Amino acid sequence: MATPLPLAFAQHLARDRRRSVHTVRAYEATAVRLVVFLQSHWGEAIDAAALGRIGTADLRAFLAVRRGEGLTNASTARELSAVRAFLNFAGVAEPRIKGPRVKKGVPRPIAPDEAVALAEEVEEDASEPWIGARDFAVLMLLYGAGLRIGEAMGLTGAVLPLGDTLVVTGKRAKTRMVPLLPQVRDAITAYVAACPYATARGLPLFRGAKGGALSPGMVRVAVRKARARLGLSDRTTPHALRHSFATHLLGRGADLRSLQELLGHASLSSTQVYTAVDAAHLMDVYRNAHPRA
């Protein structure tokens, strides 16, 4: 019995392209969604020959369904990228279709799915699987723990083995403790397992391709390339992930004092300016946290 196309695609990504487990899982899921959609859309089983008939209208219909399920521009671009890879694997000429347009307007924190899509895109574009795992882990630290990029680069092997919290050294050598979400911890653990270099206590946790300390500039370049492919604003930078971490916590009711400690800000005014939420909501949170204010 022939191997289902999505499974054969996943095996190709893992064996021949040496993609990470995370990327293989995401791309296989997209391939399955496309096949299921076409089966319903055309009313027939989908094999390689049938897949070869896919046209621009079919692909637009598929993406319209996905957009109706709540995908943002960035996630839609990621879905389209996976579809293209799947069709290329199946030997199908890719229908000509443009990705989502970039919305111009006031810069805003990126949505959670955009942050994940950005990290996934950076991971997928890496030259080596371990480098992809490294970059994914770094971006998850910025978004999931609110670290500055310099703070992430300053981590050493001394943080291992990871626990539920992480001690971070920030500006003016001030240390703080931040919680580690399971997803962030898993991303770092996966990187450490894949990294070809030793993670001794006195050595940088995040290593460059030749084994030295990873440069923040390399992360910024990778983000710049990925955001262009995803149609994200040029304001989507590594620092914007930290910004989004702060804004999303405030939106979920975090008090400013706790947020100030998580971010490592010297003053509350820095936290207020940084999060850029509307003044009315900010004052509500402040009063709830400090009734005498």
Side-chain angles (χ1 to χ4, degrees), residues 113-184:
D113 68 325
E114 291 174 336
V116 174
L118 180 69
E120 290 175 343
E121 186 70 15
V122 168
E123 178 187 31
E124 169 65 17
D125 194 48
S127 58
E128 294 285 341
W130 78 267
I131 291 178
R134 176 200 69 193
D135 293 348
F136 185 82
V138 169
L139 297 183
M140 285 294 95
L141 261 177
L142 306 189
Y143 177 66
L147 269 63
R148 300 177 177 93
I149 189 169
E151 293 171 343
M153 298 300 97
L155 295 175
T156 69
V159 302
L160 302 175
L162 296 170
D164 294 330
T165 59
L166 184 67
V167 176
V168 178
T169 302
K171 293 183 177 180
R172 295 176 295 279
K174 183 179 179 181
T175 60
R176 69 183 187 279
M177 186 175 292
V178 298
L180 274 186
L181 296 173
Q183 298 91 328
V184 179

Side-chain angles (χ1 to χ4, degrees), residues 231-289:
L232 294 173
S233 163
D234 59 5
R235 297 298 183 95
T236 304
T237 63
H239 193 72
L241 294 175
R242 173 173 154 90
H243 186 169
S244 300
F245 165 84
T247 304
H248 296 160
L249 280 182
L250 268 186
R252 288 180 174 272
D255 68 84
L256 288 180
R257 291 296 183 189
S258 296
L259 186 58
Q260 178 187 354
E261 292 180 6
L262 284 175
L263 293 173
H265 283 158
S267 68
L268 190 63
S269 61
S270 297
T271 309
Q272 292 172 327
V273 172
Y274 188 89
T275 53
V277 296
D278 66 276
H281 176 65
L282 192 59
M283 288 308 299
D284 285 343
V285 175
Y286 185 83
R287 290 192 185 100
N288 288 337

Side-chain angles (χ1 to χ4, degrees), residues 206-226:
F206 294 110
R207 313 292 282 275
K210 295 182 179 181
L214 176 62
S215 164
M218 296 301 295
V219 179
R220 293 189 181 100
V221 168
V223 167
R224 188 157 57 241
K225 292 178 180 178

Side-chain angles (χ1 to χ4, degrees), residues 31-47:
V32 169
R33 282 192 291 267
L34 179 63
V35 168
V36 170
F37 168 79
L38 291 176
Q39 286 174 340
S40 174
H41 192 54
W42 291 343
E44 61 180 272
I46 304 299
D47 55 15

